[in-house]
Amino acid sequence: SWFLFISPRMAGFRTDFSVVLEPLGFVKVLEWIFAIFAFATCGSFQGETTLLVSCKGVVNKTVTAAFAYPFRLNTVEFSAPDPKRCAGTWTDVHLEGDFSSSAQFFVTLAALMFLYCIAVLVAYVGYNHVYQQNSKYPLTDLSISALIAFLWLLSTFVWAKALADIKVATGSSIIPGIESCKAPGTTCHFVSVTRMGILNVSVVFGLLNAALWGGNVWLIYKDTKLHNQWNRISESP
């Protein structure tokens, strides 16, 4: 961040918590909080898909496949209907798809932004006088904030697409793809899948984070000398 460029001559920690009450600092607090929510709503999810199976010697037996972040569904196996595995007709049945890259991209960004916001808030509170005196620090801050806004938007769209695919891969449409359910005398019925409302919320927080960081770019521009410098340039003949 910009405070890494502070020279020893200028470095003098002066605590000023009033910065947190100003738009620039307050938005950074919101970004820190929303990063926590994005991380928690996605990274803590646990769910399961449940089927009802009838086969040789087994009537309406519940089988489940438990899945969780980071959503490597292809490693998730359904439990067997009975110890004899339907007289040997029930083979290992897995869910399909590996969505870990999308989920981990989203959660890792949230975790990094949590730490980054703490570092920047410390810099705002302790070095605001330095920040205001040299335009290269706000310019660096603005550039990093613009990049982060883009990454939030990108990771959220990637995660939203993965979430839609996860819902399909754990829903009722999985029945036709299970070979064991096609064995003679075997029937499978979809029962339920854990509600994913909390994951929908994670997408909302991702979009909110993108909006906050995008707004932060404008605040940095307006609340620092960059705004005045640009006005002078635009008004000059």
Side-chain angles (χ1 to χ4, degrees):
S1 184
W2 60 268
F3 62 89
L4 296 177
F5 299 94
I6 297 174
S7 65
R9 180 177 59 84
M10 297 178 67
F13 194 88
R14 301 177 189 172
T15 303
D16 181 10
F17 286 103
S18 65
V19 177
V20 178
L21 301 178
E22 297 173 359
L24 191 64
F26 184 70
V27 167
K28 192 63 62 184
V29 173
L30 290 179
E31 290 168 349
W32 176 68
I33 294 172
F34 279 46
I36 297 173
F37 284 135
F39 176 90
T41 50
C42 180
S44 62
F45 181 82
Q46 293 183 334
E48 66 177 23
T49 295
T50 304
L51 306 179
L52 205 61
V53 177
S54 295
C55 56
K56 186 175 181 180
V58 177
V59 179
N60 292 338
K61 178 67 175 182
T62 299
V63 299
T64 60
F67 58 95
Y69 172 84
F71 305 103
R72 293 189 179 93
L73 300 186
N74 57 345
T75 66
V76 176
E77 183 179 340
F78 276 99
S79 57
D82 68 321
K84 295 182 179 180
R85 304 175 71 85
C86 292
T89 62
W90 185 272
T91 57
D92 292 342
V93 177
H94 293 81
L95 294 174
E96 295 183 358
D98 182 354
F99 306 98
S100 59
S101 59
S102 299
Q104 288 176 328
F105 178 24
F106 183 81
V107 169
T108 299
L109 179 64
L112 290 176
M113 291 308 99
F114 167 78
L115 298 174
Y116 178 78
C117 287
I118 293 176
V120 174
L121 281 170
V122 170
Y124 281 171
V125 170
Y127 296 99
N128 188 53
H129 59 291
V130 178
Y131 184 86
Q132 299 294 337
Q133 289 172 4
N134 194 321
S135 62
K136 72 178 181 180
Y137 304 134
L139 183 60
T140 303
D141 197 13
L142 184 146
S143 301
I144 293 175
S145 295
L147 175 61
I148 292 172
F150 170 75
L151 290 176
W152 267 119
L153 195 61
L154 177 63
S155 67
T156 300
F157 281 129
V158 169
W159 166 233
K161 174 59 170 63
L163 177 56
D165 293 338
I166 290 169
K167 291 178 179 179
V168 173
T170 58
S172 58
S173 61
I174 65 177
I175 297 293
I178 301 177
E179 293 299 322
S180 295
C181 292
K182 301 175 183 178
T186 300
T187 59
C188 299
H189 298 283
F190 179 80
V191 177
S192 66
V193 62
T194 303
R195 293 182 179 273
M196 301 185 193
I198 191 70
L199 296 181
N200 294 334
V201 172
S202 72
V203 173
V204 174
F205 277 118
L207 293 174
L208 288 173
N209 273 295
L212 276 173
W213 283 92
N216 194 38
V217 172
W218 177 247
L219 283 175
I220 294 170
Y221 171 73
K222 290 287 288 184
D223 287 1
T224 64
K225 294 181 179 180
L226 292 177
H227 177 60
N228 296 330
Q229 290 175 358
W230 177 255
N231 285 340
R232 286 196 295 270
I233 293 174
S234 62
E235 292 173 358
S236 61

